[in-house]
């Protein structure tokens, strides 16, 4: 990973997905004029253009893309040129029916949407390499080219015979022999012992609960398979011109069979798509979390703070909970700048112009069905101007004293059938810890296990279910170096194969935490247990025996009445906290504020009113995002780069507005 932004002149990237293949050339010219008016400097082209680039096998039609790239270049706009491999043309599927994906219950999908391919099918891989190769040969030195955007949102899955054969090969490499596989998957249970590799398959639909080791390894295998589909394209694009960076856009969610932390080492710039599922206040919490997650991946891969890119976001409406929700004025700008505050090298939208038809005809766009004489276009142009004023600022380095661990595989494993409770959610628990800190005004990093922890004074493990020996070692090194630790329920309960660590939960961290957990008492969705000292616990509770730790809060009522709920274990000058339930938001916020405070971590901008998000960066900038509908006064001294206003002791941030202050000592 090289962690460069696509260019070195200090400008932030600004633009989005542009689909000229959907429009005649006169619209291209209008689009480019509008892009210039909006301050756009980077557009992603060709993502779904395979059938327009290769209408028949081996016959390529590049004239339109030549003209598009030349037009962009003539207008000073750079291209993130995509390889179109997320949507093979109809001829491909007809010719290679064996490359159509098979679902877990054995049904073969047909053409008609996008992503109808199996990433393990040789015909698909050949065709994908071949279209990437011809694009590389033709455009690798085009002056408009700034970045290669491989594929789109890797995340599909398959259970066809090609996949099954590839799974066996992957398992052979991982385990060497069947004894090791049988041991890792605990196949002594339910007569699942394998005596020949030919018996091992993908976890297809089965009669009852599937084997957790098999489920977990299938996800890991598939992440590696998709990764190899990416890296083989990357390598040939790189070979054509090593000066041009290569990346792919991550889609987030624990349904995605991709370990993005592992992938981060293979992309030149971590790039995420972000569409909050929440619509109100929750959207800004989700935005901050996603941005911190991306920054954590980038930093993990680079071994030091590094920029990343918001590759897609919605300029206006999002579709959630069954309908479209329009963003009120200011929200798009504020959320975009929230990503920039937290390290994005720019802001990219999906999409530039709304299509007249097709499946996503009502997805929001900068140029909507109503055209460009709209408040959304005007807001986008204002954002372009604002980003222009931030040129020369250095994305990527954010001051944070807390790190929250996030691990794709733990998220997958908690979803397995047969867990003590349905709905267990590691990403949700990581987000809950992040949200509590966000409301307390404390900036956190979100990092994969093993990431550098320099600067981190408090490490939070939120339902980090899987603990390999390497992960345990990483946690121990942090604690032994004097770092504070806060561990929540179900962390460290299983090893990397999802086998339970015996001797009492949380097996991997018992000694650090000074507790031993004997029994789980999962709670119903609508159940709350009161805690001494105020507040309630949800989702989970358990029988905790202190073994060196002091009780900070106990269960008050029910079968666990009087037993510890939250404990604290002193290790040297630091504390290792154990939280055996999910405290309500207010209680969690107070708890994490105290744990952070004892670790020496204070709010980013003490005195910033509730609802004002503050992010301080190592480049001397303080981003202030006012999520309320009232003007808010913030204690700060310096120059607001967005308005040119100087603040001498305080600055008023308008309702829904943003200030980016170059701070001076007051
Ligand atoms: C993803 C995809 C885009 C589009 C958007 C819609 O991010 O990459 O092609 O489907 O979602 O939100």
């Amino acid at each position: 990973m090289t962690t460069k932004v696509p260019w070195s002149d200090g400008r932030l990237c600004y633009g989005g997905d542009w689909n000229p293949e959907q429009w005649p050339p006169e619209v291209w010219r209008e689009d480019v004029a509008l892009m210039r008016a909006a301050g756009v400097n980077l557009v992603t082209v060709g993502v779904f253009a395979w059938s327009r680039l290769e209408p028949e096998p081996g016959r390529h039609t590049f004239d339109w893309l030549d003209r598009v790239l030349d037009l962009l270049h003539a207008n000073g706009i750079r291209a993130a040129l995509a390889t179109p491999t997320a949507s093979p043309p109809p001829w491909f599927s007809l010719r290679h029916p064996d490359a159509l994906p098979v679902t877990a219950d054995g049904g073969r999908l047909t053409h008609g949407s996008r992503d109808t391919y199996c990433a393990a099918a040789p015909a698909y891989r050949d065709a994908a390499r071949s279209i990437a190769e011809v694009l590389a040969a033709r455009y690798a030195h085009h002056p408009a080219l700034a970045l290669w955007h491989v594929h789109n949102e890797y995340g599909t899955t398959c259970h066809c015979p090609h996949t099954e054969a590839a799974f066996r090969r992957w398992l052979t490499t991982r385990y060497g022999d069947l004894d090791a596989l049988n041991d890792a998957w605990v196949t002594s249970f339910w007569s699942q012992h394998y005596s020949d590799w030919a018996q091992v398959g993908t976890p297809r639909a089965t009669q009852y609960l599937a084997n957790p080791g098999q489920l977990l390894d299938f996800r890991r295998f598939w992440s590696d398979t998709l990764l190899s589909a990416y890296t083989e394209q990357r390598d040939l694009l790189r070979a054509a011109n090593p000066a041009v960076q290569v990346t792919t856009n991550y889609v987030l969610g624990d349904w995605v069979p991709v370990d993005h932390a592992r992938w981060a080492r293979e992309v030149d710039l971590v790039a995420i798509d972000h569409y909050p599922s929440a619509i109100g206040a929750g959207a800004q919490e989700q935005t901050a979390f996603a941005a911190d997650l991306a920054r954590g991946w980038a930093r993990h891969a680079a071994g030091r703070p590094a920029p990343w890119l918001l590759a897609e976001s919605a300029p206006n409406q999002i579709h959630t909970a069954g309908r479209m929700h329009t963003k009120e004025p200011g929200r798009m700008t504020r959320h975009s700048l929230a990503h920039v505050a937290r390290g994005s090298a720019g802001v990219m939208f999906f999409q530039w112009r709304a299509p007249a038809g097709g499946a996503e005809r009502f997805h929001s766009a900068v140029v909507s069905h109503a055209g460009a004489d709209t408040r959304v276009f005007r807001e986008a142009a204002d954002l372009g101007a604002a980003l222009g004023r931030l040129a020369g600022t250095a994305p990527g380095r954010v001051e944070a004293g807390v790190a929250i661990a996030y691990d794709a595989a733990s998220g997958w494993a908690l979803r397995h059938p047969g867990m003590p409770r349905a709905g267990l959610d590691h990403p949700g628990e990581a987000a809950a810890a992040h949200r509590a800190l966000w409301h307390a005004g404390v900036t956190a990093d979100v990092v994969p296990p093993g990431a550098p922890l320099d600067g981190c004074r408090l490490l939070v493990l939120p339902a980090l279910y899987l603990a390999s020996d390497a992960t345990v070692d990483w946690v121990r090194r942090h604690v032994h170096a004097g770092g504070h630790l806060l561990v929540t329920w179900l962390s460290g309960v299983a090893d990397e194969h999802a086998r339970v660590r015996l001797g009492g939960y949380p097996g991997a961290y018992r000694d650090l935490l000074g507790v031993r957990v004997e029994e789980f008492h999962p709670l119903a969705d609508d159940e709350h247990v009161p805690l001494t000292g105020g507040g309630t616990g949800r989702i989970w509770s358990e029988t905790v025996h202190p073994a060196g730790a002091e009780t900070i809060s106990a269960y008050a009522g029910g079968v666990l009445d009087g037993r510890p709920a939250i404990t604290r274990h002193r290790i040297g000058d630091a504390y290792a906290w154990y939280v055996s339930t999910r405290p309500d938001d207010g209680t969690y916020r107070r708890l994490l504020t105290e744990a952070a405070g004892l670790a020496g971590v204070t709010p980013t901008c003490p005195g910033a009113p509730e609802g004002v998000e503050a992010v301080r960066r190592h480049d001397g900038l303080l981003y202030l995002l006012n999520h309320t509908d009232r003007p808010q006064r913030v204690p700060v001294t310096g120059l607001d780069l967005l308005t040119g206003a100087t603040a001498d002791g305080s600055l008023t941030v308008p309702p829904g507005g943003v200030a980016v202050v170059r701070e001076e000592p007051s």
Side-chain angles (χ1 to χ4, degrees):
M1 165 148 175
T2 56
T3 70
K4 292 173 294 189
V5 291
W7 42 67
S8 54
D9 62 8
R11 286 177 307 152
L12 293 165
C13 306
Y14 187 45
D17 278 49
W18 183 41
N19 300 298
E21 70 275 17
Q22 295 170 8
W23 302 98
E26 49 283 16
V27 177
W28 306 350
R29 287 189 286 276
E30 184 192 331
D31 274 337
V32 167
L34 290 169
M35 287 172 193
R36 288 178 57 135
V40 162
N41 54 30
L42 181 69
V43 287
T44 306
V45 282
V47 179
F48 294 111
W50 196 343
S51 66
R52 302 298 305 275
L53 290 166
E54 191 177 3
E56 292 162 24
R59 184 171 73 80
H60 297 110
T61 45
F62 289 128
D63 48 322
W64 67 272
L65 188 53
D66 293 351
R67 291 173 63 193
V68 161
L69 293 178
D70 291 350
L71 180 66
L72 289 173
H73 178 57
N75 285 276
I77 300 167
R78 309 289 301 277
L81 183 55
T83 64
T85 52
S87 202
W91 60 255
F92 174 82
S93 305
L94 278 176
R95 214 179 222 220
H96 303 286
D98 66 306
L100 285 165
V102 172
T103 59
D105 54 12
R108 199 172 284 271
L109 300 180
T110 58
H111 196 93
S113 178
R114 64 180 186 190
D115 289 301
T116 39
Y117 59 84
C118 163
Y124 168 73
R125 294 285 283 265
D126 290 349
R129 271 197 313 275
S130 146
I131 187 70
E133 208 151 29
V134 290
L135 283 168
R138 193 167 185 97
Y139 298 115
H141 293 276
H142 194 286
L145 180 66
L147 179 68
W148 287 108
H149 173 294
V150 173
H151 200 88
N152 189 64
E153 296 191 334
Y154 280 99
T156 54
T157 190
C158 182
H159 290 265
C160 77
H162 296 301
T163 303
E164 197 153 77
F167 187 37
R168 284 190 202 112
R169 286 195 296 276
W170 184 91
L171 290 168
T172 315
T173 308
R174 180 171 173 81
Y175 292 108
D177 60 40
L178 271 177
D179 288 348
L181 179 138
N182 280 311
D183 183 47
W185 291 8
V186 194
T187 56
S188 49
F189 189 80
W190 279 351
S191 182
Q192 290 178 349
H193 189 270
Y194 296 105
S195 56
D196 191 303
W197 284 104
Q199 299 158 5
V200 185
T202 69
R204 286 195 174 203
T206 188
Q207 184 71 5
Y208 186 39
L209 310 178
N211 180 302
Q214 182 189 20
L215 288 172
L216 191 56
D217 272 344
F218 182 65
R219 283 257 170 160
R220 290 187 171 124
F221 146 75
W222 196 247
S223 176
D224 285 357
T225 302
L226 293 175
L227 182 59
S228 67
Y230 163 76
T231 54
E232 70 187 14
Q233 287 197 39
R234 178 203 62 193
D235 292 348
L236 59 88
L237 296 169
R238 243 185 215 167
N241 182 355
V244 180
Q245 290 181 75
V246 189
T247 192
T248 184
N249 52 333
Y250 290 2
V251 53
L252 309 184
D254 66 355
W255 60 271
V256 181
V258 166
D259 183 347
H260 290 123
R262 188 164 147 69
W263 281 51
R265 295 207 175 86
E266 307 292 344
V267 296
D268 290 328
L269 180 66
V270 166
I272 64 160
D273 296 349
H274 191 242
Y275 299 94
S277 59
I279 41 180
Q284 43 249 21
E285 297 160 1
Q286 291 182 354
T287 297
F289 180 66
D292 288 348
L293 193 52
R295 193 177 67 254
W297 287 324
R299 174 179 162 165
H300 174 57
R304 61 189 155 75
W308 54 275
L309 181 65
L310 175 67
E312 281 186 30
S313 56
N316 187 14
Q317 304 94 337
I318 52 162
H319 247 104
T320 192
R323 69 183 169 97
M324 230 153 77
H325 298 264
T326 304
K327 291 185 179 174
E328 79 280 7
R331 176 179 286 255
M332 177 271 274
T333 299
R334 202 168 67 251
H335 287 204
S336 298
L337 290 174
H339 282 288
V340 174
R342 292 172 187 272
S344 176
V347 175
M348 303 288 285
F349 293 120
F350 182 87
Q351 55 201 327
W352 173 257
R353 181 180 281 275
E360 291 184 328
R361 60 207 172 287
F362 290 114
H363 194 287
S364 65
V366 177
V367 180
S368 69
H369 290 149
D373 183 11
T374 61
R375 64 149 192 114
V376 170
F377 183 81
R378 284 185 283 276
E379 188 171 329
D382 289 346
L383 175 58
L387 292 171
R389 284 179 216 119
L390 298 177
T393 59
R397 295 171 64 86
V398 169
E399 280 186 17
V402 179
I404 300 168
Y406 181 99
D407 170 44
S410 286
W412 303 336
L414 284 186
R415 294 282 189 214
H416 288 164
M419 291 297 286
R421 183 195 198 286
L424 296 169
D425 180 5
H426 164 66
E429 290 308 311
H434 189 272
R435 183 169 68 237
L437 288 161
W438 188 88
H439 280 282
V442 175
T443 309
D445 285 320
V446 182
V447 300
L453 287 176
D454 39 299
C456 163
R457 293 194 286 275
L458 171 66
L459 174 63
V460 179
L461 311 185
L464 190 78
Y465 180 59
L466 302 181
S468 65
D469 291 347
T471 295
V472 178
D473 189 49
W474 174 69
V475 174
R476 281 184 191 286
R477 273 186 281 122
H478 166 76
V479 172
H480 292 149
H484 292 238
L485 179 69
L486 187 141
V487 175
T488 82
W489 44 281
L490 272 176
S491 295
V493 161
D495 69 7
E496 73 270 34
H497 300 294
R499 292 178 305 202
V500 175
R501 286 177 174 266
L502 303 177
Y505 317 116
Y509 306 120
R510 275 194 316 262
D511 59 332
L512 286 179
L513 298 168
V515 297
R516 185 173 70 88
V517 174
E518 182 184 336
E519 277 182 328
F520 296 149
H521 299 268
L523 303 173
D525 284 349
D526 58 357
E527 218 178 333
H528 298 257
V529 278
L531 303 173
T532 59
T536 56
R538 309 173 34 224
I539 305 174
W540 194 262
S541 61
E542 52 192 22
T543 314
V544 180
H545 298 286
E550 58 174 319
T551 299
I552 300 298
S553 172
Y555 292 105
V559 286
L560 295 174
D561 186 39
R563 288 182 175 276
I566 300 171
T567 62
R568 200 166 70 181
H569 189 213
R570 186 151 194 131
I571 304 177
D573 291 334
Y575 289 110
W577 300 73
Y578 184 60
V579 183
S580 69
T581 184
R582 159 77 94 71
D584 64 81
D585 282 359
T587 307
Y588 209 5
R589 174 178 166 172
R590 283 189 295 280
L591 173 67
L592 280 166
T593 304
E594 188 187 349
L598 287 170
V601 182
T602 50
T604 302
C605 183
E610 173 82 33
V612 175
E613 176 179 347
V615 182
R616 182 169 279 110
R617 303 226 310 218
H618 287 276
D619 56 6
L621 299 185
L622 179 68
Y623 278 70
L624 298 167
L625 305 127
N626 180 0
H627 296 297
T628 75
D629 56 8
R630 293 173 309 285
Q632 299 287 1
R633 265 169 91 86
V634 182
V636 64
T637 293
L639 173 73
D640 180 357
L641 300 185
L642 297 184
T643 61
T646 50
D648 189 7
S650 81
L651 178 75
T652 300
V653 188
V658 182
V660 182
V661 181
R662 186 172 294 291
E663 286 185 284
E664 287 159 20
S666 49

